[in-house]
Amino acid sequence: MTLEVPAAFAERYAQLVDDAPAFFEAMLTPLPKSFRVNTLKATAETVAPRFAEYGIGIKQTAWYSDAFVSDNPALGSTLEHFLGAIYIQELTSMLPPLLIRSELQTAATVLDACAAPGSKTTQLSALMNNRGTIVANDVEYERIKPLKFNLERSGTLNAVVTNYDLRSFPQMSFEVALLDAPCTSEGIFRKNPRQMLSWSPKRFAPSAHRQKQLILKTFDLLADGGTLIYSTCTFAPEENEAVIDYLLNERPAELEQVKIPNFRLMPGITTWQNQTFDERVSMTARALPHHNDTGGFFLARIRK
Amino acid sequence: MIEPCSANDKSLTLEYLERRYGLAPELLADFEFYASANGRVILGPKQIDPCLSPDTAGLLIARIGNTVKPSTNLLQLVGALILRNFVALERENAVRYIKGLDLEVAATEIGDTTEGYVLLKYLTFPLGCGLLQGTHIKNMLPKAKRIDVRFL
Ligand SMILES: C[S@@+](CC[C@H](N)C(=O)[O-])C[C@H]1O[C@@H](n2cnc3c(N)ncnc32)[C@H](O)[C@@H]1O
Protein backbone atom coordinates (compact mmCIF):
# COMPACT_ATOMS: atom_id res chain seq x y z
CA MET A 1 0.00 0.00 0.00
CA THR A 2 1.46 3.41 -0.86
CA LEU A 3 1.24 5.96 1.87
CA GLU A 4 -0.65 9.14 1.23
CA VAL A 5 -0.83 12.39 3.11
CA PRO A 6 -4.13 12.40 5.09
CA ALA A 7 -6.79 14.41 3.24
CA ALA A 8 -7.43 16.81 6.11
CA PHE A 9 -3.69 17.45 6.47
CA ALA A 10 -3.40 18.09 2.73
CA GLU A 11 -6.34 20.46 2.71
CA ARG A 12 -5.05 22.40 5.70
CA TYR A 13 -1.47 22.86 4.55
CA ALA A 14 -2.20 23.48 0.88
CA GLN A 15 -3.29 26.91 2.18
CA LEU A 16 -0.01 27.49 3.98
CA VAL A 17 2.77 26.51 1.60
CA ASP A 18 3.91 27.94 -1.73
CA ASP A 19 3.99 24.75 -3.76
CA ALA A 20 1.60 22.16 -2.32
CA PRO A 21 2.44 19.22 -4.65
CA ALA A 22 6.19 19.63 -4.00
CA PHE A 23 5.51 19.95 -0.26
CA PHE A 24 3.42 16.77 -0.10
CA GLU A 25 5.88 14.86 -2.22
CA ALA A 26 8.75 15.88 0.09
CA MET A 27 6.68 14.83 3.12
CA LEU A 28 6.49 11.29 1.74
CA THR A 29 10.18 11.08 0.85
CA PRO A 30 12.57 9.77 3.54
CA LEU A 31 14.72 12.42 5.24
CA PRO A 32 18.36 12.50 4.19
CA LYS A 33 20.78 11.39 6.90
CA SER A 34 22.77 14.24 8.35
CA PHE A 35 25.33 15.00 11.00
CA ARG A 36 27.16 17.89 12.59
CA VAL A 37 30.88 17.90 13.25
CA ASN A 38 31.41 18.39 16.99
CA THR A 39 34.02 21.13 17.09
CA LEU A 40 34.81 20.35 20.75
CA LYS A 41 36.53 17.23 19.41
CA ALA A 42 37.17 17.56 15.68
CA THR A 43 36.94 19.82 12.64
CA ALA A 44 35.18 19.45 9.31
CA GLU A 45 38.63 19.40 7.70
CA THR A 46 39.72 16.36 9.69
CA VAL A 47 36.42 14.46 9.56
CA ALA A 48 35.60 14.77 5.85
CA PRO A 49 38.70 12.87 4.59
CA ARG A 50 37.93 10.00 6.97
CA PHE A 51 34.50 9.52 5.40
CA ALA A 52 36.11 9.64 1.97
CA GLU A 53 38.42 6.78 3.08
CA TYR A 54 35.41 4.79 4.28
CA GLY A 55 33.68 5.27 0.93
CA ILE A 56 30.76 6.97 2.70
CA GLY A 57 29.54 9.81 0.48
CA ILE A 58 28.97 13.03 2.42
CA LYS A 59 28.18 16.54 1.28
CA GLN A 60 28.84 19.75 3.22
CA THR A 61 25.84 22.11 3.35
CA ALA A 62 26.14 25.60 1.88
CA TRP A 63 24.77 27.24 5.04
CA TYR A 64 26.79 25.62 7.83
CA SER A 65 30.29 24.31 7.27
CA ASP A 66 29.95 21.82 10.14
CA ALA A 67 26.75 20.26 8.71
CA PHE A 68 26.88 17.33 6.30
CA VAL A 69 24.31 15.15 4.55
CA SER A 70 24.91 11.56 3.56
CA ASP A 71 23.06 8.93 1.58
CA ASN A 72 24.62 6.23 3.74
CA PRO A 73 22.69 4.92 6.75
CA ALA A 74 25.90 3.66 8.41
CA LEU A 75 26.92 6.93 10.10
CA GLY A 76 26.26 5.35 13.50
CA SER A 77 28.83 2.61 12.82
CA THR A 78 31.76 4.96 12.25
CA LEU A 79 34.67 5.58 14.59
CA GLU A 80 33.81 9.29 14.47
CA HIS A 81 30.35 8.61 15.90
CA PHE A 82 31.85 6.45 18.65
CA LEU A 83 34.36 9.20 19.51
CA GLY A 84 31.73 11.95 19.62
CA ALA A 85 33.53 13.71 16.78
CA ILE A 86 30.20 13.83 14.92
CA TYR A 87 26.65 14.18 16.19
CA ILE A 88 23.89 12.64 14.09
CA GLN A 89 21.30 15.40 13.92
CA GLU A 90 18.52 16.50 11.58
CA LEU A 91 19.53 19.59 9.60
CA THR A 92 16.73 21.87 10.80
CA SER A 93 17.56 20.95 14.40
CA MET A 94 20.88 22.76 13.84
CA LEU A 95 19.20 26.07 12.98
CA PRO A 96 18.28 27.50 16.42
CA PRO A 97 21.84 27.53 17.82
CA LEU A 98 23.10 29.00 14.53
CA LEU A 99 20.76 31.98 14.91
CA ILE A 100 22.53 32.97 18.13
CA ARG A 101 26.03 32.18 17.05
CA SER A 102 27.40 35.64 17.76
CA GLU A 103 25.63 35.96 21.14
CA LEU A 104 27.09 32.60 22.17
CA GLN A 105 30.64 33.87 21.67
CA THR A 106 30.32 36.07 24.74
CA ALA A 107 27.29 34.82 26.73
CA ALA A 108 28.06 33.80 30.30
CA THR A 109 24.63 32.26 30.97
CA VAL A 110 22.48 30.30 28.53
CA LEU A 111 19.23 28.45 29.19
CA ASP A 112 18.20 25.47 27.08
CA ALA A 113 14.69 25.29 28.51
CA CYS A 114 13.56 21.97 26.96
CA ALA A 115 16.86 20.30 26.30
CA ALA A 116 16.54 16.50 26.11
CA PRO A 117 18.04 14.57 24.39
CA GLY A 118 20.59 17.35 23.92
CA SER A 119 21.12 17.78 20.17
CA LYS A 120 20.98 21.53 20.55
CA THR A 121 22.68 21.69 23.96
CA THR A 122 25.75 19.95 22.57
CA GLN A 123 25.75 22.33 19.62
CA LEU A 124 25.37 25.37 21.90
CA SER A 125 28.31 24.11 23.92
CA ALA A 126 30.43 23.63 20.80
CA LEU A 127 29.56 27.15 19.60
CA MET A 128 30.56 28.46 23.05
CA ASN A 129 33.73 26.38 22.95
CA ASN A 130 32.87 25.05 26.42
CA ARG A 131 32.95 28.55 27.97
CA GLY A 132 30.24 30.09 30.17
CA THR A 133 27.38 28.05 31.63
CA ILE A 134 24.44 26.39 29.88
CA VAL A 135 21.55 25.22 32.02
CA ALA A 136 20.09 22.24 30.16
CA ASN A 137 16.65 21.57 31.57
CA ASP A 138 13.98 18.99 30.85
CA VAL A 139 10.88 17.95 32.76
CA GLU A 140 10.99 14.27 31.75
CA TYR A 141 13.26 12.32 34.02
CA GLU A 142 13.53 9.42 31.51
CA ARG A 143 14.89 11.84 28.92
CA ILE A 144 17.57 13.17 31.28
CA LYS A 145 19.61 9.98 30.92
CA PRO A 146 20.07 10.25 27.13
CA LEU A 147 20.69 13.97 27.60
CA LYS A 148 23.56 13.27 30.01
CA PHE A 149 24.91 10.54 27.75
CA ASN A 150 24.99 12.85 24.74
CA LEU A 151 26.57 15.68 26.72
CA GLU A 152 29.31 13.38 28.01
CA ARG A 153 29.96 11.81 24.63
CA SER A 154 30.34 15.25 23.09
CA GLY A 155 32.82 16.39 25.73
CA THR A 156 30.50 19.10 27.02
CA LEU A 157 31.94 20.62 30.18
CA ASN A 158 29.91 23.80 30.50
CA ALA A 159 26.41 22.36 30.99
CA VAL A 160 24.39 21.96 34.16
CA VAL A 161 21.52 19.49 33.88
CA THR A 162 18.28 20.26 35.72
CA ASN A 163 14.96 18.45 35.88
CA TYR A 164 12.30 21.11 36.45
CA ASP A 165 8.93 21.65 34.91
CA LEU A 166 9.99 24.89 33.28
CA ARG A 167 6.86 26.57 34.59
CA SER A 168 8.26 26.23 38.12
CA PHE A 169 11.90 26.93 37.24
CA PRO A 170 13.61 29.09 39.93
CA GLN A 171 13.63 32.78 39.12
CA MET A 172 17.03 33.72 37.68
CA SER A 173 18.18 35.50 34.58
CA PHE A 174 19.95 34.38 31.41
CA GLU A 175 21.59 36.35 28.61
CA VAL A 176 20.44 33.85 26.00
CA ALA A 177 17.63 31.30 26.06
CA LEU A 178 16.43 28.62 23.70
CA LEU A 179 12.90 27.27 23.94
CA ASP A 180 12.78 24.29 21.62
CA ALA A 181 9.22 23.62 22.57
CA PRO A 182 7.37 20.31 22.79
CA CYS A 183 5.03 20.27 19.80
CA THR A 184 2.97 18.03 17.53
CA SER A 185 6.13 17.28 15.47
CA GLU A 186 4.51 17.37 12.02
CA GLY A 187 7.85 18.50 10.58
CA ILE A 188 9.50 15.17 11.34
CA PHE A 189 6.80 12.95 9.81
CA ARG A 190 9.40 12.40 7.09
CA LYS A 191 11.42 10.38 9.60
CA ASN A 192 8.49 8.04 10.09
CA PRO A 193 5.65 8.77 7.61
CA ARG A 194 3.36 6.26 9.36
CA GLN A 195 2.97 8.82 12.14
CA MET A 196 0.91 10.82 9.69
CA LEU A 197 -1.82 8.22 9.95
CA SER A 198 -2.57 9.25 13.52
CA TRP A 199 -2.39 12.97 12.75
CA SER A 200 -5.28 14.93 14.23
CA PRO A 201 -5.96 18.67 14.42
CA LYS A 202 -7.36 18.08 17.91
CA ARG A 203 -3.77 18.02 19.18
CA PHE A 204 -2.99 21.65 18.37
CA ALA A 205 -4.97 23.35 21.15
CA PRO A 206 -3.44 21.53 24.16
CA SER A 207 0.02 21.80 22.65
CA ALA A 208 -0.38 25.53 21.97
CA HIS A 209 -1.71 26.09 25.49
CA ARG A 210 1.45 24.59 26.97
CA GLN A 211 3.71 26.47 24.53
CA LYS A 212 2.15 29.78 25.58
CA GLN A 213 2.89 29.04 29.24
CA LEU A 214 6.43 27.98 28.38
CA ILE A 215 7.23 31.02 26.24
CA LEU A 216 6.05 33.50 28.89
CA LYS A 217 8.13 31.74 31.53
CA THR A 218 11.23 31.61 29.30
CA PHE A 219 10.84 35.28 28.43
CA ASP A 220 10.59 36.09 32.16
CA LEU A 221 13.86 34.20 32.72
CA LEU A 222 15.65 36.41 30.21
CA ALA A 223 17.84 39.36 31.29
CA ASP A 224 16.95 42.77 29.83
CA GLY A 225 18.48 42.95 26.38
CA GLY A 226 18.70 39.15 26.23
CA THR A 227 17.86 37.00 23.21
CA LEU A 228 15.34 34.16 23.10
CA ILE A 229 14.94 31.67 20.28
CA TYR A 230 11.59 29.92 20.08
CA SER A 231 11.46 26.89 17.82
CA THR A 232 9.22 23.95 16.99
CA CYS A 233 9.35 21.13 14.47
CA THR A 234 5.74 21.52 13.45
CA PHE A 235 3.76 23.38 10.78
CA ALA A 236 0.64 24.30 12.77
CA PRO A 237 0.37 28.11 12.98
CA GLU A 238 -1.48 27.59 16.29
CA GLU A 239 1.84 26.37 17.77
CA ASN A 240 4.04 28.86 15.94
CA GLU A 241 2.97 32.35 14.85
CA ALA A 242 -0.02 32.31 17.25
CA VAL A 243 2.33 31.62 20.18
CA ILE A 244 4.60 34.51 19.17
CA ASP A 245 1.59 36.80 18.69
CA TYR A 246 0.47 35.84 22.20
CA LEU A 247 3.91 36.70 23.62
CA LEU A 248 3.87 40.10 21.89
CA ASN A 249 0.49 40.81 23.48
CA GLU A 250 1.52 39.70 26.96
CA ARG A 251 5.07 41.02 27.28
CA PRO A 252 7.26 43.87 26.00
CA ALA A 253 9.03 41.57 23.53
CA GLU A 254 10.64 42.63 20.25
CA LEU A 255 11.09 40.39 17.25
CA GLU A 256 14.19 40.29 15.10
CA GLN A 257 14.39 39.03 11.53
CA VAL A 258 15.25 35.33 11.24
CA LYS A 259 17.69 34.67 8.44
CA ILE A 260 20.33 32.08 7.64
CA PRO A 261 22.54 32.83 4.65
CA ASN A 262 22.19 30.18 1.91
CA PHE A 263 19.22 28.50 3.60
CA ARG A 264 15.80 29.16 2.10
CA LEU A 265 13.18 30.20 4.66
CA MET A 266 9.55 31.27 4.30
CA PRO A 267 8.46 34.31 6.33
CA GLY A 268 6.06 33.69 9.22
CA ILE A 269 2.41 34.18 8.26
CA THR A 270 0.25 36.98 9.66
CA THR A 271 -3.20 35.56 8.91
CA TRP A 272 -4.47 32.05 9.43
CA GLN A 273 -8.06 30.92 9.06
CA ASN A 274 -10.00 33.68 10.82
CA GLN A 275 -7.09 35.04 12.87
CA THR A 276 -4.79 37.99 12.19
CA PHE A 277 -1.45 38.22 13.97
CA ASP A 278 0.74 41.18 14.83
CA GLU A 279 2.51 42.21 11.61
CA ARG A 280 5.92 41.81 13.23
CA VAL A 281 5.29 38.06 13.27
CA SER A 282 6.38 38.03 9.61
CA MET A 283 9.96 38.33 10.95
CA THR A 284 9.72 34.73 12.16
CA ALA A 285 10.51 31.99 9.67
CA ARG A 286 9.50 28.55 8.50
CA ALA A 287 11.72 25.87 7.01
CA LEU A 288 9.66 23.82 4.55
CA PRO A 289 10.74 20.29 3.57
CA HIS A 290 10.75 20.89 -0.19
CA HIS A 291 12.86 24.07 0.03
CA ASN A 292 16.09 22.59 1.40
CA ASP A 293 15.25 18.85 1.56
CA THR A 294 14.95 18.88 5.36
CA GLY A 295 12.32 18.37 8.03
CA GLY A 296 9.84 21.16 8.76
CA PHE A 297 10.69 23.80 11.33
CA PHE A 298 9.63 27.15 12.80
CA LEU A 299 11.96 29.80 14.24
CA ALA A 300 11.47 33.08 16.04
CA ARG A 301 14.17 35.43 17.34
CA ILE A 302 12.96 37.51 20.28
CA ARG A 303 14.69 40.33 22.14
CA LYS A 304 13.77 41.54 25.63
CA MET B 1 22.83 15.45 42.73
CA ILE B 2 26.20 17.13 42.84
CA GLU B 3 28.07 18.95 45.59
CA PRO B 4 31.39 20.76 45.90
CA CYS B 5 34.38 18.43 45.59
CA SER B 6 36.65 18.13 48.63
CA ALA B 7 40.09 19.74 48.26
CA ASN B 8 41.58 16.31 48.92
CA ASP B 9 39.73 14.53 46.10
CA LYS B 10 40.47 17.39 43.72
CA SER B 11 44.19 17.26 44.39
CA LEU B 12 44.22 13.43 44.27
CA THR B 13 42.66 13.58 40.80
CA LEU B 14 44.90 16.34 39.51
CA GLU B 15 48.05 14.69 40.86
CA TYR B 16 47.06 11.34 39.33
CA LEU B 17 46.35 12.83 35.90
CA GLU B 18 49.67 14.66 35.92
CA ARG B 19 51.78 11.82 37.29
CA ARG B 20 50.31 9.06 35.15
CA TYR B 21 49.48 10.83 31.88
CA GLY B 22 51.49 14.05 31.98
CA LEU B 23 48.32 16.18 31.97
CA ALA B 24 49.10 19.59 33.47
CA PRO B 25 46.59 20.80 36.11
CA GLU B 26 46.32 24.12 34.24
CA LEU B 27 44.52 22.25 31.49
CA LEU B 28 41.44 22.01 33.72
CA ALA B 29 41.84 25.41 35.38
CA ASP B 30 38.87 27.05 33.63
CA PHE B 31 36.48 24.55 35.22
CA GLU B 32 35.25 23.61 38.69
CA PHE B 33 35.43 20.23 40.44
CA TYR B 34 32.23 18.73 41.85
CA ALA B 35 31.49 15.43 43.61
CA SER B 36 28.62 13.00 43.31
CA ALA B 37 27.76 9.56 44.72
CA ASN B 38 30.35 6.74 45.02
CA GLY B 39 33.47 8.85 44.72
CA ARG B 40 32.58 10.34 41.36
CA VAL B 41 34.56 13.44 40.44
CA ILE B 42 32.91 15.80 38.00
CA LEU B 43 34.41 18.65 36.01
CA GLY B 44 31.89 21.34 35.22
CA PRO B 45 31.36 25.06 34.72
CA LYS B 46 32.82 27.50 37.25
CA GLN B 47 29.49 29.23 37.86
CA ILE B 48 26.40 27.33 38.97
CA ASP B 49 23.65 29.54 40.35
CA PRO B 50 23.02 28.53 43.99
CA CYS B 51 19.25 28.57 43.49
CA LEU B 52 19.44 25.58 41.13
CA SER B 53 19.32 21.96 42.27
CA PRO B 54 21.26 20.36 39.45
CA ASP B 55 20.90 16.72 38.57
CA THR B 56 24.44 16.76 37.26
CA ALA B 57 26.91 19.04 35.50
CA GLY B 58 29.79 18.84 33.08
CA LEU B 59 31.63 15.56 32.68
CA LEU B 60 32.33 12.65 34.98
CA ILE B 61 36.14 12.61 34.84
CA ALA B 62 37.14 10.05 37.46
CA ARG B 63 36.03 7.80 40.25
CA ILE B 64 38.00 7.63 43.47
CA GLY B 65 38.10 4.30 45.28
CA ASN B 66 41.30 2.56 46.33
CA THR B 67 42.86 4.37 43.41
CA VAL B 68 41.80 7.00 40.89
CA LYS B 69 40.02 5.62 37.81
CA PRO B 70 39.82 8.05 34.91
CA SER B 71 36.69 8.02 32.75
CA THR B 72 36.66 7.15 29.07
CA ASN B 73 34.90 10.43 28.33
CA LEU B 74 37.80 12.36 29.90
CA LEU B 75 40.45 10.31 28.10
CA GLN B 76 38.65 10.84 24.79
CA LEU B 77 38.50 14.59 25.37
CA VAL B 78 42.14 15.14 26.39
CA GLY B 79 43.68 12.04 24.82
CA ALA B 80 45.58 13.97 22.18
CA LEU B 81 47.64 15.52 25.00
CA ILE B 82 48.49 12.24 26.72
CA LEU B 83 52.16 11.42 26.29
CA ARG B 84 52.62 8.36 28.48
CA ASN B 85 50.80 5.27 29.72
CA PHE B 86 48.87 4.65 26.55
CA VAL B 87 48.72 1.61 24.32
CA ALA B 88 48.34 2.02 20.57
CA LEU B 89 46.06 -0.76 19.30
CA GLU B 90 46.06 -2.56 15.99
CA ARG B 91 42.87 -2.24 13.99
CA GLU B 92 41.49 -5.63 15.03
CA ASN B 93 41.98 -4.90 18.73
CA ALA B 94 40.46 -1.44 18.31
CA VAL B 95 37.29 -3.05 16.92
CA ARG B 96 37.25 -5.51 19.83
CA TYR B 97 37.73 -2.74 22.35
CA ILE B 98 34.87 -0.66 20.94
CA LYS B 99 32.68 -3.80 21.11
CA GLY B 100 33.44 -4.04 24.83
CA LEU B 101 35.80 -7.05 24.76
CA ASP B 102 38.97 -7.57 26.80
CA LEU B 103 42.22 -7.62 24.84
CA GLU B 104 45.55 -9.42 24.71
CA VAL B 105 48.44 -7.32 23.46
CA ALA B 106 52.05 -8.11 22.66
CA ALA B 107 54.77 -6.97 25.07
CA THR B 108 56.19 -4.87 22.22
CA GLU B 109 52.91 -2.93 21.98
CA ILE B 110 53.09 -2.11 25.69
CA GLY B 111 56.57 -0.56 25.62
CA ASP B 112 57.28 1.37 28.81
CA THR B 113 53.61 1.74 29.73
CA THR B 114 53.10 0.51 33.29
CA GLU B 115 50.26 -1.58 34.75
CA GLY B 116 47.11 0.26 35.76
CA TYR B 117 44.60 2.37 33.86
CA VAL B 118 45.78 3.25 30.39
CA LEU B 119 44.57 5.23 27.42
CA LEU B 120 43.89 3.04 24.39
CA LYS B 121 44.50 4.66 21.04
CA TYR B 122 43.92 3.74 17.45
CA LEU B 123 46.09 5.76 15.02
CA THR B 124 45.86 9.23 16.59
CA PHE B 125 42.37 8.69 18.00
CA PRO B 126 41.91 8.32 21.79
CA LEU B 127 39.41 5.47 22.21
CA GLY B 128 39.08 5.26 25.98
CA CYS B 129 40.16 3.58 29.17
CA GLY B 130 41.44 0.05 29.79
CA LEU B 131 43.09 -1.66 32.75
CA LEU B 132 46.50 -3.09 31.84
CA GLN B 133 47.50 -6.25 33.76
CA GLY B 134 50.53 -7.97 32.26
CA THR B 135 49.68 -8.33 28.57
CA HIS B 136 45.93 -8.40 29.29
CA ILE B 137 43.74 -5.30 28.95
CA LYS B 138 40.46 -5.28 30.82
CA ASN B 139 37.82 -3.32 28.96
CA MET B 140 36.64 -0.26 30.93
CA LEU B 141 34.31 1.10 28.27
CA PRO B 142 30.86 1.89 29.73
CA LYS B 143 28.26 -0.53 28.32
CA ALA B 144 26.19 2.23 26.76
CA LYS B 145 29.12 3.36 24.64
CA ARG B 146 29.92 -0.04 23.12
CA ILE B 147 29.15 -0.39 19.42
CA ASP B 148 29.97 -2.65 16.53
CA VAL B 149 32.23 -0.22 14.68
CA ARG B 150 32.40 -0.95 10.95
CA PHE B 151 34.26 2.09 9.64
CA LEU B 152 37.59 3.02 11.20
C1 LIG C 1 11.36 19.14 21.02
S1 LIG C 1 11.87 18.29 22.43
C2 LIG C 1 13.44 19.00 22.75
C3 LIG C 1 14.55 18.51 21.86
C4 LIG C 1 15.91 19.03 22.27
N1 LIG C 1 15.90 20.49 22.36
C5 LIG C 1 17.01 18.58 21.34
O1 LIG C 1 17.39 19.35 20.46
O2 LIG C 1 17.53 17.46 21.51
C6 LIG C 1 10.87 19.02 23.69
C7 LIG C 1 11.25 18.64 25.11
O3 LIG C 1 10.47 19.43 26.00
C8 LIG C 1 10.32 18.73 27.19
N2 LIG C 1 9.23 19.37 27.96
C9 LIG C 1 7.89 19.27 27.77
N3 LIG C 1 7.23 20.01 28.67
C10 LIG C 1 8.15 20.61 29.46
C11 LIG C 1 8.09 21.47 30.60
N4 LIG C 1 6.91 21.86 31.10
N5 LIG C 1 9.25 21.87 31.18
C12 LIG C 1 10.45 21.45 30.68
N6 LIG C 1 10.56 20.62 29.62
C13 LIG C 1 9.44 20.21 29.01
C14 LIG C 1 10.05 17.32 26.71
O4 LIG C 1 10.33 16.38 27.73
C15 LIG C 1 10.98 17.20 25.51
O5 LIG C 1 12.18 16.58 25.86
Side-chain angles (χ1 to χ4, degrees), chain A residues 114-120 138-140 143 165-166 180 182 210 214:
Chain A
C114 294
S119 308
K120 298 176 191 73
D138 204 280
V139 70
E140 288 236 20
R143 289 172 66 91
D165 183 324
L166 187 75
D180 187 36
R210 177 165 65 170
L214 294 176

Side-chain angles (χ1 to χ4, degrees), chain A residues 225-242:
Chain A
T227 305
L228 160 64
I229 302 296
Y230 175 82
S231 60
T232 73
C233 60
T234 210
F235 301 114
E238 292 83 346
E239 300 181 64
N240 294 324
E241 287 90 343

Side-chain angles (χ1 to χ4, degrees), chain A residues 172-233:
Chain A
M172 15 183 322
S173 90
F174 294 89
E175 290 164 51
V176 175
L178 168 60
L179 174 57
D180 187 36
C183 67
T184 54
S185 305
E186 295 166 310
I188 52 174
F189 283 166
R190 287 186 75 183
K191 257 189 203 162
N192 179 6
R194 300 223 146 257
Q195 283 178 355
M196 258 192 279
L197 301 176
S198 53
W199 177 83
S200 160
K202 289 203 184 103
R203 297 198 176 144
F204 301 141
S207 186
H209 177 71
R210 177 165 65 170
Q211 287 153 346
K212 287 174 181 168
Q213 294 176 325
L214 294 176
I215 201 170
L216 289 191
K217 177 67 185 192
T218 315
F219 186 81
D220 294 344
L221 287 168
L222 208 57
D224 286 341
T227 305
L228 160 64
I229 302 296
Y230 175 82
S231 60
T232 73
C233 60

Side-chain angles (χ1 to χ4, degrees), chain A residues 9 15 27 43 59 73 89 131 167 199 273 290 303:
Chain A
F9 180 94
Q15 306 164 49
M27 287 300 288
T43 63
K59 191 167 174 280
Q89 185 176 1
R131 281 186 312 261
R167 293 167 288 196
W199 177 83
Q273 295 175 340
H290 57 299
R303 169 87 67 178

Side-chain angles (χ1 to χ4, degrees), chain A residues 35 37-50 60 65-66 68 80 85-86:
Chain A
F35 66 86
V37 173
N38 173 21
T39 53
L40 293 177
K41 291 197 166 183
T43 63
E45 289 71 31
T46 55
V47 164
R50 300 282 302 162
Q60 194 170 38
S65 59
D66 291 327
F68 289 82
E80 283 61 31
I86 65 165

Side-chain angles (χ1 to χ4, degrees), chain A residues 77 79 133 148 157 159 161 164, chain B residues 45 47 53 55-56 58 150-151:
Chain A
S77 311
L79 179 65
T133 306
K148 285 187 203 166
L157 293 168
V161 175
Y164 295 100
Chain B
Q47 303 295 336
S53 330
D55 199 76
T56 187
R150 292 199 285 123
F151 299 92

